[in-house]
Amino acid sequence: MQVQDVVCTFCGSVCDDGEYDLEKRKIKKFCKLGSSKFAEKERIKAPMIDGKEVSYEEAIEKAAEILANAKKPLLYGWASTANEAIRVGVILAEKLGGVYDQCASVCHAPGTLATIEEGLPGATLGSIKNRADVVVFWGANPMEAHPRHGTRYSISVKGLLVKDRKQRKVIVVDVRPTKTAKIADLFVQIKPGYDYAIISALRAIISGNADVVPSEVGGVPKEKLVELADIMKGAKYGAIFYGLGVTQSRGRDRNLENAIKLIQLLNRFTRWVIWPMRGHYNVVGAGEVPAWEVGYQYAIDFSRGYPRFSPAEFSAVEVLNRRDCDAALIVASDPVAHFPKMAVKHLKQIPVIQIDPYPNMTTLVSKIVIPSAIYGIEAEGTVYRMDCIPLRVKKIIDTNYWTDEKILEEILKRVEKLKG
Amino acid sequence: MIWIKNGIVVDPKNKINAEKMDIFVKDGKIVAERDVKKEDCKVIDASGKLVVAGGVDMHAHIAGSKINTGRTMRPEEMRVVRNIAGKFRAAVGRVLLTAPAIGYEYAKMGYTTSFEAAQPPIGALHTHEELDAIPMIDKGALPVFGNWHLVFKCIEEKNLEKLKALVAWAIERTKGFGVKVVNPGGVEAWMYGGNVKNLDDQVPGFSVTPREIITWLIKANEELGLPHSVHLHCNNLGVPGNYQTTIESIKLAKGFSNPKRQVLHVTHVQFNSYAGSSWRDAASGAAEIAKVVNSMENVTIDMGAAIFGHATAMTGDAPFQFSLHKLIGARWSNKDTEVETGAGIVPIGYLPSNPVHSLQWAIGLELGLLVDSNKVVLTTDYPNGGPFTEYPYVMAMLMSKKMREGELKKVHQYVQKATTLPSIETEKTLYEVIHMTRSLPAKVLGLENKGHLGIGADADIAIYNLNPLETDFSNEFEKVYKSFKTAEYTIKGGEIIAKNGELLKEVFGKTYWVDARKRVDLEAVIPDVKNYFNYYSVQLGNYGVEERWLKNPSRIEVV
Amino acid sequence: MLILRPKGEFEVCVEAELTPELAMRSVEEVKKFKVYYGNRVVELGELFEVVKEGEEKKLVLDGNFSRVKWIGARMVDGEIIVKGSVGANCGAFMRGGKIIVEGNADDWLGTEMAGGEIVVKGNARNLVGCAYYGDAVGMTAGKIVIEGNAGNYIGEKMNGGEIIIKGNAGDFVGTEMRAGVIEIHGSCGFVGGDMRGGEIRIKGSFDLLPTFKKTEKGFVGDVNVKGEGVIKTL
């Protein structure tokens, strides 16, 4: 038996054309990354407190107690779970007077800050696939990080107006010749940390101030920048996809603000859009859900009973660096593997509760570990693709594991009781 | 069971005008006196108080990717704290509100139903997730059709059966309520950096025109017999001189009729009522539009009134949003959506010292005053014209010339020559204003059990501390405004949810959706849909929303 | 003069809008002043020792206040002396008076400040004199002096006043600046992106953006916003 239209819960491309063979337990059509997600992997076997196996109820009871007693619990993760679970998580953070933060704060959050400053002139992947005759990957390497992005949405895909790869010009701007750069029509190699200056130069060239621009900017000769500007201006419909190369290098949100201003300018001549290459399959949901529930996407503090947003204070790394939390709930994430040393150090000093299908580095420092079902395989739920398109991921096989949503709901119920 | 005793009832649908009477509630419905056991009733003494149906907002942007992007790009909007977490959720927002705040604020004001006015079909699930997160009120959403390639194809082929099948299919897939059309053809032109300017402009890449898109969708909508008519956001929104396009569009309803309701609803008309050739010589076209609307039996409009203060422009009209961004230099979000539609968002504000803003403010009121009360619904096109929480301001203004005279002194005097507002003597009656905020929007939407207090209606009731028999609406406008700001009681589905501005109970209302599949042969369009899905970025099998995913769906079947 | 000393190490950060106004109250009143300790509201006296010496409108914060946020926020007059380091949002929305920090300052120092003076003897972190997210203008008046180094994003959207950094500053100084003066005695990274007006004076080295014209006044730009901001050597 085959299940059709299986939705992948690995990366932000959220491919939805998988075919799952129930007998062989194998997925077809997905890339290596997606296929590995659908292959059997080591799981956390049972709920644990201090390394001892316990029932779900016992683990949840204890977790609720720790969280309810904390002065400021940090609730972090959320990028690899479904909206239904995220919603309960946000309400739980509100109820606890804690902090809600999600994985974007260490990857694409600068894009959110740039949106605050300048907006987000964008498009869905389906619009780009059909219309974009020029596609720029800036600090993004989909050939490795989003393997099917090019064939489904952006490079070789057959679109309505842009029929094939030949009709689409692909440009890569990066600090090194990536795999994506190798298949590009134009590769612009820039000096690390000079994205902002190069974008400023492009804006100046496009708006008729080329004379001010010096002969070389950020390691790129002026002629090449003029060439790039001409291609951009000459596009019928262009799209910039940006990646962590821009958001996590010198300038961060300022780079993106500048890039959005470039898009604003280009739209005075032709059509251009810009969009982030989001990483985890539902990192968009991890921002959208709290936005409608409490008004902000990430770094939200509820200690006063209402939400406040301040990335420099309430993003997980900043909270941990300042020792500004006394308990943590980590859902579907591995901060111990990815956070800076100082932040991890504090995480090791406070009680940590982990909810995750898989064991990881964070499991090792967690007082309570609660295993959960895998969305898209063992559980159904809503997720948002990188372009905010909602997709319903499927339950294709049965499990005894509880879903994140159910675990969180049970914690919330107990917290409500404890908090009165 | 509830017994509302001795209230002064205004219920225009049932022709009750300020009569002292009792209202009985049982199982979420309004029932006859004999159907309740009085000793089991909770009694509300409404002596000397106004009892009306819960308000119905037929056009607001309350859920989905647009308002959520608005929230994301405007953290400064979210700093106003309206409720601290406790028995109820934390609720924040200045004009843009969080989902809990939307429900709470409507409830406090005595409104119990609100419809999201623009749902991108592919984003339907997102819209519904947000609707599900809004407490207190009943809801619905209108998917957009006016720039969808599939719609263009059916019209190019002049194949009405196919178009009807597409509409029925799409409304079911999106769990939508009706047919919304936003700047027909113009948003597709925007994909090439343009717009359409006239009803007869050809849409780039297609041999269809805005005129054909509107007309064919009215035809399809009427043959399907949907509860609501086509709901049109006209071409040229926000452009001086656009009132003529609006009049031409309104006239497209000629030749259609429906005994139950209008065949065309034209929305937030304030933004489409500008005379003149630029913002330097812009003037009001409201009087001309009112004349045309009043002369037709099958068209309704809503005001889209502008309220001074903060607002956020968010529409499916992407080219308009870009022009606005260029005009005022503010932040700009845009979303080109597959081969379906588009959208844009720009923060704005209305200042009384600004001649254009004052003009917009005046035009909204002119429309409310000059158009027959049976044809104009009170809206602000939230959050485009401002907050829905200021509906009471508009209500009071419509009923008091004196209040208008006072307000006119505070605004830019450009309105003196550019609008007819200063010379309008009309004072709408309470009966008319209650109609414009309750029974009329319910009728326009085709919701038979909403907007009135007859037997069998939903027990959505608002009680205001205002005795209509003893109030001088011309002179006591401050009291009128204040009374309507905060209902003494708001009853939703038979439960008291708010009292004097305090929330009493959190309830989650229904989401209405329309199923017209039985009216068509879906096979007429499915092959085309399958073919078009080559140009989508999701599988057809993953497109759409299943009823079981919704919190509290209510299907309205059209047979 | 009022002296506050932390009673011990805080478990989580404290949020306390401590202003010189407190020095005008009785010790008993001060002890009852509400501060936020995580998700609890506690009385100031629970966390700090309170000593009053005379009637001077002066607040002395003696000890480690690096995890106490919002000190001096919205203050209008008087003086605060922080003997150690200070937490985030110090002097935000300040309109008058003086804050002296003997140690270091955390992020958001003097945000949207409209008057008064802040002196930091140590280093300051990021976002000095900026605007909070979503707001259109940063610091509009007053003076901030950092005797050590400062972090990134100094004086963003600044619309008046003066920021003086005696050491080095990080990247993106004076982005979208409209008016006012920033002086950096050391070196810094990118300067003046989309600057419309105001002046940035730098003694050491810096990264010039490709959108400034060299003139007699110094570098003028940013041309992308038809700006008339000036960057020159100190």
Side-chain angles (χ1 to χ4, degrees):
Chain A
M1 252 264 292
Q2 293 239 325
V3 185
Q4 299 295 318
D5 297 339
V6 172
V7 185
C8 184
T9 48
F10 188 82
C11 85
S13 292
V14 194
C15 301
D16 71 333
D17 59 346
E19 289 166 9
Y20 191 82
D21 188 317
L22 286 168
E23 279 86 50
K24 292 186 192 147
R25 298 213 154 199
K26 255 195 113 151
I27 191 85
K28 274 193 278 187
K29 287 203 175 171
F30 287 173
C31 68
K32 250 194 221 161
L33 302 173
S35 302
S36 80
K37 170 107 191 199
F38 281 72
E40 283 184 57
K41 275 203 277 189
E42 193 199 345
R43 301 286 291 274
I44 300 169
K45 287 193 188 63
M48 291 182 285
I49 299 177
D50 295 325
K52 258 188 249 152
E53 285 193 14
V54 294
S55 68
Y56 268 106
E57 289 79 2
E58 285 169 290
I60 284 166
E61 190 71 50
K62 185 76 192 159
E65 203 184 292
I66 290 170
L67 293 169
N69 287 322
K71 284 198 175 66
K72 201 166 185 182
L74 167 68
L75 283 69
Y76 175 81
W78 313 106
S80 295
T81 185
N83 285 358
E84 290 78 1
I86 294 164
R87 177 160 190 265
V88 184
V90 173
I91 295 171
L92 180 62
E94 179 184 304
K95 192 84 207 168
L96 288 166
V99 169
Y100 173 93
D101 191 40
Q102 43 110 349
C103 301
S105 75
V106 290
C107 51
H108 267 288
T112 305
L113 296 181
T115 299
I116 292 169
E117 298 302 328
E118 292 299 331
L120 180 57
T124 66
L125 294 172
S127 181
I128 291 166
K129 138 183 169 166
N130 288 312
R131 304 180 202 276
D133 57 342
V134 178
V135 177
V136 178
F137 292 98
W138 198 305
N141 182 15
M143 294 304 283
E144 287 182 275
H146 300 86
R148 296 183 73 210
H149 197 277
T151 53
R152 279 175 63 81
Y153 314 121
S154 59
I155 300 173
S156 55
V157 62
K158 180 180 180 305
L160 184 67
L161 301 174
V162 180
K163 309 267 185 224
D164 56 24
R165 176 69 182 84
K166 273 183 228 140
Q167 294 184 6
R168 194 178 282 118
K169 197 167 214 111
V170 176
I171 299 167
V172 170
V173 181
D174 215 315
V175 295
R176 58 179 178 277
T178 60
K179 241 179 146 179
T180 311
K182 293 206 178 81
I183 60 155
D185 300 298
L186 178 70
F187 172 49
V188 182
Q189 186 161 3
I190 67 171
K191 212 159 87 182
Y194 280 80
D195 303 75
Y196 189 96
I198 286 165
I199 297 165
S200 282
L202 286 170
R203 282 171 64 200
I205 294 166
I206 290 165
S207 58
N209 288 309
D211 54 320
V212 186
V213 176
S215 60
E216 185 238 286
V217 180
V220 187
K222 186 174 177 179
E223 303 78 68
K224 195 144 188 181
L225 290 174
V226 171
E227 184 194 349
L228 181 56
D230 285 345
I231 295 171
M232 289 182 129
K233 229 171 153 172
K236 286 199 187 90
Y237 188 105
I240 294 179
F241 286 108
Y242 65 86
L244 298 186
V246 187
T247 65
Q248 292 302 314
S249 67
R250 178 189 185 193
R252 294 168 186 251
D253 46 303
R254 275 67 179 178
N255 296 337
L256 296 164
E257 249 184 85
N258 211 1
I260 292 167
K261 286 175 181 168
L262 170 64
I263 297 293
Q264 291 173 352
L265 175 65
L266 281 164
N267 274 287
R268 282 154 171 83
F269 303 99
T270 180
R271 281 307 314 282
W272 271 84
V273 295
I274 182 165
W275 206 261
M277 295 287 278
R278 307 299 300 266
H280 297 288
Y281 73 87
N282 196 29
V283 69
V284 174
E288 291 291 318
V289 176
W292 78 60
E293 290 293 338
V294 299
Y296 308 109
Q297 292 239 350
Y298 71 105
I300 310 162
D301 167 83
F302 292 98
S303 62
R304 297 191 184 186
Y306 55 87
R308 288 183 300 161
F309 169 68
S310 182
E313 295 170 82
F314 307 132
S315 64
V317 171
E318 299 289 348
V319 165
L320 290 165
N321 280 347
R322 290 189 173 91
R323 292 175 286 130
D324 196 12
C325 61
D326 54 351
L329 172 69
I330 310 293
V331 180
S333 180
D334 190 6
V336 173
H338 301 118
F339 278 9
K341 242 191 208 156
M342 197 166 137
V344 173
K345 193 180 153 202
H346 186 62
L347 209 49
K348 286 177 177 167
Q349 285 163 357
I350 58 173
V352 174
I353 301 146
Q354 181 190 35
I355 303 175
D356 206 301
Y358 312 108
N360 58 28
M361 298 281 282
T362 302
T363 316
L364 303 174
V365 308
S366 297
K367 180 172 177 66
I368 302 177
V369 178
I370 309 177
S372 61
I374 306 165
Y375 280 100
I377 303 173
E378 299 164 343
E380 187 184 351
T382 302
V383 310
Y384 291 169
R385 197 170 68 187
M386 63 166 70
D387 55 348
C388 211
I389 291 299
L391 281 157
R392 189 82 178 174
V393 304
K394 294 182 171 61
K395 176 181 173 162
I396 48 181
I397 55 177
D398 284 329
T399 182
N400 290 324
Y401 287 112
W402 291 18
T403 61
D404 292 342
E405 183 188 6
K406 181 174 171 184
I407 295 163
L408 288 159
E409 261 176 0
E410 292 300 318
I411 294 176
L412 178 61
K413 267 188 221 160
R414 284 165 176 79
V415 165
E416 276 173 346
K417 215 181 266 171
L418 289 166
K419 288 246 166 190
Chain B
M1 279 182 281
I2 302 174
W3 176 7
I4 302 167
K5 231 175 166 173
N6 294 327
I8 315 293
V9 173
V10 176
D11 183 10
K13 183 177 177 183
N14 298 302
K15 307 271 183 301
I16 295 166
N17 190 1
E19 288 173 35
K20 185 166 154 185
M21 58 192 280
D22 292 358
I23 301 280
F24 299 93
V25 171
K26 190 178 146 187
D27 300 331
K29 295 278 178 190
I30 290 173
V31 296
E33 186 169 356
R34 61 173 182 277
D35 292 331
V36 298
K37 268 198 224 152
K38 283 194 179 152
E39 60 273 24
D40 293 345
C41 282
K42 180 189 163 52
V43 178
I44 295 175
D45 178 10
S47 309
K49 285 170 186 167
L50 173 66
V51 179
V52 295
V56 177
D57 196 344
M58 62 163 296
H59 185 111
H61 299 275
I62 54 171
S65 51
K66 276 195 298 298
I67 184 165
N68 221 31
T69 304
R71 294 176 184 119
T72 298
M73 72 193 266
R74 302 201 67 186
E76 74 278 17
E77 275 282 307
M78 311 318 296
R79 292 185 203 140
V80 175
V81 179
R82 290 172 181 269
N83 195 56
I84 292 182
K87 187 180 168 203
F88 295 88
R89 293 285 310 281
V92 299
R94 184 168 62 189
V95 175
L96 293 179
L97 305 173
T98 56
I102 288 172
Y104 295 165
E105 293 303 318
Y106 271 125
K108 288 192 222 165
M109 197 172 62
Y111 265 64
T112 47
T113 303
S114 180
F115 271 50
E116 163 57 44
Q119 178 192 45
I122 195 171
L125 181 51
H126 180 170
T127 308
H128 282 291
E129 279 192 287
E130 286 199 36
L131 288 178
D132 276 354
I134 299 174
M136 313 310 242
I137 57 171
D138 286 333
K139 303 148 273 194
L142 302 173
V144 293
F145 286 86
N147 291 281
W148 198 345
H149 284 197
L150 268 163
V151 171
F152 294 163
K153 182 173 167 41
C154 297
I155 296 171
E156 270 183 337
E157 290 176 7
K158 307 213 178 304
N159 189 334
L160 186 60
E161 288 313 307
K162 201 185 260 189
L163 182 61
K164 277 158 61 184
L166 174 67
V167 170
W169 172 78
I171 291 184
E172 185 280 324
R173 282 290 73 206
T174 57
K175 295 296 170 285
F177 190 83
V179 177
K180 175 78 184 293
V181 180
V182 177
N183 184 6
V187 182
E188 176 61 20
W190 165 243
M191 303 305 161
Y192 304 85
N195 198 347
V196 293
K197 289 200 165 55
N198 294 299
L199 288 185
D200 296 312
D201 282 357
Q202 197 179 307
V203 180
F206 294 87
S207 53
V208 294
T209 62
R211 181 188 303 279
E212 289 169 324
I213 298 167
I214 299 165
T215 315
W216 279 81
L217 282 169
I218 296 177
K219 244 186 247 179
N221 194 95
E222 293 311 302
E223 287 206 9
L224 284 168
L226 302 180
H228 185 36
S229 67
V230 163
H231 188 124
L232 175 67
H233 157 144
C234 290
N235 300 105
N236 284 330
L237 179 135
V239 180
N242 64 9
Y243 81 101
Q244 280 168 326
T245 313
T246 309
I247 287 172
E248 265 186 84
S249 304
I250 289 169
K251 286 183 176 164
L252 294 177
K254 281 187 177 162
F256 297 100
S257 71
N258 186 318
K260 282 194 181 161
R261 56 152 171 78
Q262 78 290 347
V263 296
L264 177 65
H265 178 80
V266 183
T267 191
H268 45 65
V269 174
Q270 179 270 120
F271 294 106
N272 289 78
S273 300
Y274 309 139
S277 58
S278 78
W279 285 119
R280 248 166 273 133
D281 67 356
S284 169
E288 284 79 1
I289 287 179
K291 232 178 272 164
V292 177
V293 174
N294 290 342
S295 74
M296 293 175 72
E297 280 313 306
N298 52 3
V299 174
T300 53
I301 67 165
D302 65 84
M303 293 164 71
I307 306 287
F308 290 119
H310 297 280
T312 304
M314 53 177 69
T315 69
D317 196 341
F320 160 70
Q321 296 288 346
F322 180 65
S323 321
L324 187 61
H325 154 70
K326 275 198 297 185
L327 186 71
I328 64 177
R331 295 165 255 188
W332 165 58
S333 288
N334 173 82
K335 194 77 173 281
D336 302 334
T337 306
E338 308 284 294
V339 288
E340 281 185 350
T341 181
I345 306 158
V346 176
I348 48 172
Y350 299 99
L351 304 171
S353 57
N354 179 306
V356 173
H357 300 166
S358 298
L359 176 68
Q360 293 179 299
W361 165 85
I363 291 174
L365 295 164
E366 281 183 284
L367 290 165
L369 290 163
L370 298 175
V371 176
D372 295 348
S373 305
N374 201 27
K375 290 174 186 166
V376 57
V377 176
L378 196 155
T379 66
T380 59
D381 185 18
Y382 170 79
N384 287 283
F388 61 77
T389 50
E390 284 303 318
Y391 288 173
Y393 169 80
V394 182
M395 294 167 83
M397 287 285 272
L398 295 177
M399 290 189 279
S400 168
K401 170 118 172 48
K402 195 171 167 194
M403 180 177 178
R404 295 199 297 269
E405 282 166 356
E407 294 291 289
L408 271 164
K409 286 188 196 137
K410 300 183 203 159
V411 308
H412 197 285
Q413 292 309 299
Y414 185 72
V415 299
Q416 296 289 345
K417 59 169 180 156
T419 78
T420 64
L421 186 65
S423 65
I424 299 177
E425 297 292 329
T426 310
E427 290 185 329
K428 295 260 174 177
T429 62
L430 176 69
Y431 185 83
E432 289 174 298
V433 168
I434 293 303
H435 184 47
M436 289 164 71
T437 53
R438 271 91 183 158
S439 31
L440 179 61
K443 182 185 160 203
V444 170
L445 285 169
L447 293 172
E448 288 175 6
N449 298 326
K450 296 286 179 202
H452 70 103
L453 299 173
I455 306 297
D458 291 342
D460 299 349
I461 305 164
I463 303 173
Y464 296 100
N465 189 9
L466 185 75
N467 186 341
L469 303 172
E470 290 172 6
T471 303
D472 174 353
F473 288 88
S474 300
N475 289 306
E476 295 179 277
F477 48 84
E478 273 170 23
K479 181 174 123 189
V480 172
Y481 167 71
K482 230 181 113 203
S483 303
F484 281 118
K485 272 292 262 191
T486 311
E488 185 154 294
Y489 285 92
T490 304
I491 298 167
K492 169 76 193 59
E495 297 193 82
I496 303 171
I497 56 171
K499 190 181 170 188
N500 284 323
E502 196 191 324
L503 303 168
L504 290 187
K505 185 171 186 195
E506 185 166 271
V507 297
F508 281 87
K510 298 188 187 93
T511 298
Y512 294 104
W513 70 278
V514 171
D515 189 350
R517 286 176 295 178
K518 284 204 179 137
R519 303 274 301 170
V520 297
D521 175 14
L522 286 180
E523 278 312 306
V525 77
I526 292 301
D528 284 297
V529 169
K530 281 185 178 154
N531 186 32
Y532 259 79
F533 262 75
N534 290 322
Y535 305 114
Y536 268 84
S537 58
V538 299
Q539 300 291 107
L540 180 55
N542 285 322
Y543 185 84
V545 180
E546 299 303 328
E547 192 169 30
R548 69 180 173 85
W549 302 345
L550 306 188
K551 191 178 237 151
N552 199 0
S554 180
R555 187 171 73 119
I556 296 174
E557 189 168 32
V558 184
V559 286
Chain C
M1 183 170 78
L2 190 77
I3 304 166
L4 302 183
R5 292 188 185 93
K7 284 185 169 170
E9 178 90 359
F10 304 123
E11 284 175 67
V12 294
C13 291
V14 176
E15 294 190 14
E17 290 195 14
L18 306 175
T19 62
E21 197 59 43
L22 282 178
M24 301 287 98
R25 304 190 197 180
S26 73
V27 170
E28 283 320 298
E29 259 185 282
V30 172
K31 280 186 176 169
K32 287 202 178 112
F33 185 76
K34 297 276 184 271
V35 302
Y36 295 92
Y37 188 28
N39 52 23
R40 315 205 174 160
V41 179
V42 300
E43 292 185 352
L44 188 147
E46 247 182 69
L47 301 177
F48 302 92
E49 277 173 32
V50 182
V51 180
K52 187 156 176 166
E53 289 177 5
E55 290 304 312
E56 202 185 345
K57 199 166 191 181
K58 184 171 173 180
L59 188 62
V60 176
L61 306 177
D62 186 9
N64 184 5
F65 282 74
S66 67
R67 290 165 77 216
V68 183
K69 300 178 184 178
W70 297 101
I71 287 171
R74 295 184 174 84
M75 73 184 257
V76 289
D77 56 6
E79 192 176 350
I80 300 179
I81 296 175
V82 188
K83 294 280 187 188
S85 293
V86 76
N89 307 300
C90 174
F93 309 114
M94 176 175 179
R95 283 188 286 140
K98 188 169 184 179
I99 301 175
I100 298 171
V101 179
E102 293 185 354
N104 303 321
D106 205 337
D107 290 338
W108 295 113
L109 180 77
T111 310
E112 300 185 23
M113 178 173 174
E117 189 180 355
I118 302 176
V119 177
V120 177
K121 307 242 166 161
N123 303 320
R125 276 190 57 172
N126 303 321
L127 300 151
V128 175
C130 290
Y132 284 116
Y133 291 107
D135 289 348
V137 273
M139 177 175 182
T140 52
K143 187 174 180 180
I144 301 175
V145 180
I146 314 291
E147 296 195 347
N149 302 320
N152 297 321
Y153 318 126
I154 307 303
E156 199 172 82
K157 296 188 191 171
M158 185 168 169
N159 200 22
E162 214 180 332
I163 299 176
I164 295 164
I165 317 274
K166 300 262 175 90
N168 300 317
D171 252 324
F172 296 94
V173 174
T175 307
E176 295 188 5
M177 183 171 174
R178 297 174 183 196
V181 174
I182 303 176
E183 241 179 55
I184 294 163
H185 293 207
S187 300
C188 63
F190 284 126
V191 175
D194 280 4
M195 186 178 180
R196 288 177 192 273
E199 196 165 301
I200 304 175
R201 305 167 193 149
I202 307 159
K203 202 173 235 170
S205 64
F206 63 95
D207 258 342
L208 184 70
L209 288 165
T211 43
F212 279 77
K213 283 181 200 163
K214 195 170 179 180
T215 71
E216 280 169 11
K217 280 195 279 180
F219 297 102
V220 175
D222 183 321
V223 300
N224 281 335
V225 291
K226 300 187 178 78
E228 286 167 3
V230 176
I231 300 170
K232 61 181 180 194
T233 46
L234 187 65

